[in-house]
PDB file of all heavy atoms in Angstrom:
ATOM      1  N   TYR A 712       0.956   1.172  12.511  1.00 97.00           N
ATOM      2  CA  TYR A 712      -0.505   1.296  12.501  1.00 97.00           C
ATOM      3  C   TYR A 712      -1.051   1.277  13.926  1.00 97.00           C
ATOM      4  O   TYR A 712      -0.723   0.386  14.702  1.00 97.00           O
ATOM      5  CB  TYR A 712      -1.086   0.118  11.723  1.00 97.00           C
ATOM      6  CG  TYR A 712      -2.586   0.089  11.633  1.00 97.00           C
ATOM      7  CD1 TYR A 712      -3.248   0.857  10.694  1.00 97.00           C
ATOM      8  CD2 TYR A 712      -3.336  -0.715  12.488  1.00 97.00           C
ATOM      9  CE1 TYR A 712      -4.630   0.828  10.599  1.00 97.00           C
ATOM     10  CE2 TYR A 712      -4.714  -0.749  12.393  1.00 97.00           C
ATOM     11  CZ  TYR A 712      -5.354   0.025  11.457  1.00 97.00           C
ATOM     12  OH  TYR A 712      -6.722  -0.011  11.362  1.00 97.00           O
ATOM     13  N   LEU A 713      -1.881   2.257  14.260  1.00 96.00           N
ATOM     14  CA  LEU A 713      -2.501   2.233  15.595  1.00 96.00           C
ATOM     15  C   LEU A 713      -3.942   1.732  15.537  1.00 96.00           C
ATOM     16  O   LEU A 713      -4.359   0.946  16.369  1.00 96.00           O
ATOM     17  CB  LEU A 713      -2.455   3.611  16.254  1.00 96.00           C
ATOM     18  CG  LEU A 713      -2.990   3.618  17.689  1.00 96.00           C
ATOM     19  CD1 LEU A 713      -2.067   2.856  18.632  1.00 96.00           C
ATOM     20  CD2 LEU A 713      -3.168   5.040  18.207  1.00 96.00           C
ATOM     21  N   GLU A 731     -17.128   3.971  32.245  1.00 94.00           N
ATOM     22  CA  GLU A 731     -17.750   3.318  31.100  1.00 94.00           C
ATOM     23  C   GLU A 731     -17.225   3.940  29.799  1.00 94.00           C
ATOM     24  O   GLU A 731     -16.893   3.238  28.836  1.00 94.00           O
ATOM     25  CB  GLU A 731     -19.272   3.476  31.208  1.00 94.00           C
ATOM     26  CG  GLU A 731     -20.074   2.728  30.167  1.00 94.00           C
ATOM     27  CD  GLU A 731     -19.909   1.208  30.259  1.00 94.00           C
ATOM     28  OE1 GLU A 731     -19.507   0.693  31.312  1.00 94.00           O
ATOM     29  OE2 GLU A 731     -20.194   0.551  29.227  1.00 94.00           O
ATOM     30  N   TYR A 738     -11.362  -0.150  24.526  1.00 96.00           N
ATOM     31  CA  TYR A 738     -11.508  -1.546  24.114  1.00 96.00           C
ATOM     32  C   TYR A 738     -12.471  -1.831  22.958  1.00 96.00           C
ATOM     33  O   TYR A 738     -12.339  -2.860  22.312  1.00 96.00           O
ATOM     34  CB  TYR A 738     -11.940  -2.392  25.310  1.00 96.00           C
ATOM     35  CG  TYR A 738     -10.869  -2.500  26.370  1.00 96.00           C
ATOM     36  CD1 TYR A 738     -10.989  -1.844  27.590  1.00 96.00           C
ATOM     37  CD2 TYR A 738      -9.717  -3.253  26.132  1.00 96.00           C
ATOM     38  CE1 TYR A 738     -10.003  -1.937  28.556  1.00 96.00           C
ATOM     39  CE2 TYR A 738      -8.724  -3.343  27.088  1.00 96.00           C
ATOM     40  CZ  TYR A 738      -8.870  -2.681  28.301  1.00 96.00           C
ATOM     41  OH  TYR A 738      -7.893  -2.777  29.234  1.00 96.00           O
ATOM     42  N   ARG A 740     -14.428  -1.406  19.306  1.00 94.00           N
ATOM     43  CA  ARG A 740     -14.086  -0.909  17.969  1.00 94.00           C
ATOM     44  C   ARG A 740     -15.280  -1.039  17.026  1.00 94.00           C
ATOM     45  O   ARG A 740     -16.033  -2.001  17.098  1.00 94.00           O
ATOM     46  CB  ARG A 740     -12.927  -1.731  17.392  1.00 94.00           C
ATOM     47  CG  ARG A 740     -11.644  -1.654  18.174  1.00 94.00           C
ATOM     48  CD  ARG A 740     -10.925  -0.335  17.977  1.00 94.00           C
ATOM     49  NE  ARG A 740      -9.623  -0.356  18.623  1.00 94.00           N
ATOM     50  CZ  ARG A 740      -9.389  -0.029  19.888  1.00 94.00           C
ATOM     51  NH1 ARG A 740     -10.378   0.376  20.666  1.00 94.00           N
ATOM     52  NH2 ARG A 740      -8.177  -0.112  20.403  1.00 94.00           N
ATOM     53  N   ASN A 742     -14.838  -1.449  13.658  1.00 95.00           N
ATOM     54  CA  ASN A 742     -14.394  -2.574  12.822  1.00 95.00           C
ATOM     55  C   ASN A 742     -15.247  -2.774  11.573  1.00 95.00           C
ATOM     56  O   ASN A 742     -15.721  -3.890  11.308  1.00 95.00           O
ATOM     57  CB  ASN A 742     -14.397  -3.854  13.686  1.00 95.00           C
ATOM     58  CG  ASN A 742     -13.608  -4.981  13.060  1.00 95.00           C
ATOM     59  OD1 ASN A 742     -12.758  -4.753  12.199  1.00 95.00           O
ATOM     60  ND2 ASN A 742     -13.889  -6.198  13.474  1.00 95.00           N
ATOM     61  N   PRO A 743     -15.485  -1.718  10.775  1.00 96.00           N
ATOM     62  CA  PRO A 743     -16.406  -1.848   9.640  1.00 96.00           C
ATOM     63  C   PRO A 743     -15.774  -2.576   8.443  1.00 96.00           C
ATOM     64  O   PRO A 743     -14.555  -2.579   8.284  1.00 96.00           O
ATOM     65  CB  PRO A 743     -16.675  -0.389   9.262  1.00 96.00           C
ATOM     66  CG  PRO A 743     -15.417   0.327   9.626  1.00 96.00           C
ATOM     67  CD  PRO A 743     -14.874  -0.386  10.856  1.00 96.00           C
ATOM     68  N   ARG A 765      -9.469   4.571   4.479  1.00 98.00           N
ATOM     69  CA  ARG A 765      -9.125   3.436   3.618  1.00 98.00           C
ATOM     70  C   ARG A 765     -10.295   2.462   3.608  1.00 98.00           C
ATOM     71  O   ARG A 765     -10.982   2.287   4.611  1.00 98.00           O
ATOM     72  CB  ARG A 765      -7.879   2.757   4.206  1.00 98.00           C
ATOM     73  CG  ARG A 765      -7.189   1.731   3.320  1.00 98.00           C
ATOM     74  CD  ARG A 765      -5.935   1.212   4.031  1.00 98.00           C
ATOM     75  NE  ARG A 765      -6.288   0.729   5.359  1.00 98.00           N
ATOM     76  CZ  ARG A 765      -6.583  -0.537   5.637  1.00 98.00           C
ATOM     77  NH1 ARG A 765      -6.498  -1.458   4.706  1.00 98.00           N
ATOM     78  NH2 ARG A 765      -6.943  -0.901   6.854  1.00 98.00           N
ATOM     79  N   THR A 767     -11.647  -1.120   3.840  1.00 97.00           N
ATOM     80  CA  THR A 767     -11.099  -2.383   4.346  1.00 97.00           C
ATOM     81  C   THR A 767     -11.460  -3.580   3.461  1.00 97.00           C
ATOM     82  O   THR A 767     -11.020  -4.684   3.719  1.00 97.00           O
ATOM     83  CB  THR A 767     -11.595  -2.671   5.786  1.00 97.00           C
ATOM     84  OG1 THR A 767     -13.024  -2.707   5.785  1.00 97.00           O
ATOM     85  CG2 THR A 767     -11.106  -1.625   6.762  1.00 97.00           C
ATOM     86  N   HIS A 770      -8.663  -2.074   0.200  1.00 96.00           N
ATOM     87  CA  HIS A 770      -7.399  -1.422   0.578  1.00 96.00           C
ATOM     88  C   HIS A 770      -7.196  -0.080  -0.137  1.00 96.00           C
ATOM     89  O   HIS A 770      -6.113   0.497  -0.080  1.00 96.00           O
ATOM     90  CB  HIS A 770      -6.173  -2.319   0.359  1.00 96.00           C
ATOM     91  CG  HIS A 770      -6.177  -3.540   1.221  1.00 96.00           C
ATOM     92  ND1 HIS A 770      -5.325  -4.591   1.022  1.00 96.00           N
ATOM     93  CD2 HIS A 770      -6.946  -3.890   2.284  1.00 96.00           C
ATOM     94  CE1 HIS A 770      -5.558  -5.535   1.926  1.00 96.00           C
ATOM     95  NE2 HIS A 770      -6.538  -5.125   2.691  1.00 96.00           N
TER      96      HIS A 770
ATOM     97  N   LEU B1596     -17.616  -4.661  19.332  1.00 97.00           N
ATOM     98  CA  LEU B1596     -16.873  -5.705  20.034  1.00 97.00           C
ATOM     99  C   LEU B1596     -15.454  -5.255  20.344  1.00 97.00           C
ATOM    100  O   LEU B1596     -14.915  -4.366  19.673  1.00 97.00           O
ATOM    101  CB  LEU B1596     -16.784  -6.951  19.144  1.00 97.00           C
ATOM    102  CG  LEU B1596     -18.084  -7.624  18.733  1.00 97.00           C
ATOM    103  CD1 LEU B1596     -17.789  -8.720  17.718  1.00 97.00           C
ATOM    104  CD2 LEU B1596     -18.787  -8.202  19.947  1.00 97.00           C
ATOM    105  N   PRO B1597     -14.821  -5.894  21.324  1.00 97.00           N
ATOM    106  CA  PRO B1597     -13.392  -5.642  21.555  1.00 97.00           C
ATOM    107  C   PRO B1597     -12.550  -6.436  20.557  1.00 97.00           C
ATOM    108  O   PRO B1597     -11.668  -7.207  20.934  1.00 97.00           O
ATOM    109  CB  PRO B1597     -13.181  -6.114  23.003  1.00 97.00           C
ATOM    110  CG  PRO B1597     -14.284  -7.071  23.275  1.00 97.00           C
ATOM    111  CD  PRO B1597     -15.408  -6.793  22.334  1.00 97.00           C
ATOM    112  N   GLU B1599     -10.808  -6.435  16.330  1.00 97.00           N
ATOM    113  CA  GLU B1599     -10.525  -5.853  15.006  1.00 97.00           C
ATOM    114  C   GLU B1599     -10.267  -6.997  14.029  1.00 97.00           C
ATOM    115  O   GLU B1599      -9.673  -7.997  14.407  1.00 97.00           O
ATOM    116  CB  GLU B1599      -9.248  -4.993  15.051  1.00 97.00           C
ATOM    117  CG  GLU B1599      -9.417  -3.640  15.677  1.00 97.00           C
ATOM    118  CD  GLU B1599      -8.085  -2.870  15.739  1.00 97.00           C
ATOM    119  OE1 GLU B1599      -7.069  -3.356  15.195  1.00 97.00           O
ATOM    120  OE2 GLU B1599      -8.089  -1.798  16.357  1.00 97.00           O
ATOM    121  N   SER B1600     -10.658  -6.827  12.771  1.00 97.00           N
ATOM    122  CA  SER B1600     -10.374  -7.851  11.759  1.00 97.00           C
ATOM    123  C   SER B1600      -9.081  -7.519  11.025  1.00 97.00           C
ATOM    124  O   SER B1600      -8.904  -6.412  10.540  1.00 97.00           O
ATOM    125  CB  SER B1600     -11.527  -7.937  10.766  1.00 97.00           C
ATOM    126  OG  SER B1600     -12.675  -8.407  11.430  1.00 97.00           O
ATOM    127  N   GLY B1644      -1.306  -6.392   9.990  1.00 95.00           N
ATOM    128  CA  GLY B1644      -1.277  -5.365  11.025  1.00 95.00           C
ATOM    129  C   GLY B1644      -2.215  -4.190  10.866  1.00 95.00           C
ATOM    130  O   GLY B1644      -2.119  -3.234  11.615  1.00 95.00           O
ATOM    131  N   ASN B1646      -6.529  -3.041   9.858  1.00 97.00           N
ATOM    132  CA  ASN B1646      -7.883  -3.571   9.688  1.00 97.00           C
ATOM    133  C   ASN B1646      -8.130  -3.936   8.230  1.00 97.00           C
ATOM    134  O   ASN B1646      -7.836  -3.141   7.342  1.00 97.00           O
ATOM    135  CB  ASN B1646      -8.927  -2.517  10.068  1.00 97.00           C
ATOM    136  CG  ASN B1646      -9.029  -2.325  11.563  1.00 97.00           C
ATOM    137  OD1 ASN B1646      -8.006  -2.165  12.234  1.00 97.00           O
ATOM    138  ND2 ASN B1646     -10.229  -2.349  12.075  1.00 97.00           N
ATOM    139  N   THR B1647      -8.668  -5.120   8.001  1.00 97.00           N
ATOM    140  CA  THR B1647      -9.035  -5.484   6.633  1.00 97.00           C
ATOM    141  C   THR B1647     -10.020  -6.646   6.624  1.00 97.00           C
ATOM    142  O   THR B1647     -10.016  -7.487   7.527  1.00 97.00           O
ATOM    143  CB  THR B1647      -7.790  -5.857   5.793  1.00 97.00           C
ATOM    144  OG1 THR B1647      -8.232  -6.343   4.526  1.00 97.00           O
ATOM    145  CG2 THR B1647      -6.959  -6.931   6.450  1.00 97.00           C
ATOM    146  N   TYR B1648     -10.861  -6.660   5.611  1.00 96.00           N
ATOM    147  CA  TYR B1648     -11.737  -7.806   5.345  1.00 96.00           C
ATOM    148  C   TYR B1648     -11.419  -8.370   3.955  1.00 96.00           C
ATOM    149  O   TYR B1648     -12.241  -9.048   3.357  1.00 96.00           O
ATOM    150  CB  TYR B1648     -13.206  -7.367   5.375  1.00 96.00           C
ATOM    151  CG  TYR B1648     -13.764  -7.120   6.760  1.00 96.00           C
ATOM    152  CD1 TYR B1648     -13.658  -5.882   7.367  1.00 96.00           C
ATOM    153  CD2 TYR B1648     -14.405  -8.141   7.451  1.00 96.00           C
ATOM    154  CE1 TYR B1648     -14.177  -5.653   8.631  1.00 96.00           C
ATOM    155  CE2 TYR B1648     -14.933  -7.927   8.716  1.00 96.00           C
ATOM    156  CZ  TYR B1648     -14.822  -6.679   9.295  1.00 96.00           C
ATOM    157  OH  TYR B1648     -15.346  -6.470  10.551  1.00 96.00           O
ATOM    158  N   ARG B1745     -14.115  -4.716  30.797  1.00 96.00           N
ATOM    159  CA  ARG B1745     -14.815  -3.777  31.671  1.00 96.00           C
ATOM    160  C   ARG B1745     -14.474  -4.054  33.133  1.00 96.00           C
ATOM    161  O   ARG B1745     -14.357  -3.154  33.945  1.00 96.00           O
ATOM    162  CB  ARG B1745     -16.328  -3.889  31.455  1.00 96.00           C
ATOM    163  CG  ARG B1745     -17.114  -2.846  32.220  1.00 96.00           C
ATOM    164  CD  ARG B1745     -18.601  -3.090  32.139  1.00 96.00           C
ATOM    165  NE  ARG B1745     -19.245  -2.349  31.083  1.00 96.00           N
ATOM    166  CZ  ARG B1745     -19.965  -2.888  30.118  1.00 96.00           C
ATOM    167  NH1 ARG B1745     -20.122  -4.194  30.071  1.00 96.00           N
ATOM    168  NH2 ARG B1745     -20.533  -2.141  29.214  1.00 96.00           N
ATOM    169  N   GLN B1758      -3.924  -3.640  21.959  1.00 95.00           N
ATOM    170  CA  GLN B1758      -3.409  -3.279  20.638  1.00 95.00           C
ATOM    171  C   GLN B1758      -3.419  -4.566  19.813  1.00 95.00           C
ATOM    172  O   GLN B1758      -2.430  -5.305  19.797  1.00 95.00           O
ATOM    173  CB  GLN B1758      -1.992  -2.698  20.819  1.00 95.00           C
ATOM    174  CG  GLN B1758      -1.379  -2.107  19.570  1.00 95.00           C
ATOM    175  CD  GLN B1758      -2.228  -1.001  18.966  1.00 95.00           C
ATOM    176  OE1 GLN B1758      -2.772  -0.167  19.681  1.00 95.00           O
ATOM    177  NE2 GLN B1758      -2.353  -1.012  17.660  1.00 95.00           N
TER     178      GLN B1758
END
Side-chain angles (χ1 to χ4, degrees):
Chain A
Y712 179 82
L713 184 69
E731 186 63 20
Y738 292 108
R740 298 285 186 272
N742 196 20
R765 192 177 54 94
T767 58
H770 296 168
Chain B
L1596 299 173
E1599 283 178 6
S1600 294
N1646 286 49
T1647 174
Y1648 285 88
R1745 186 188 265 124
Q1758 188 58 41

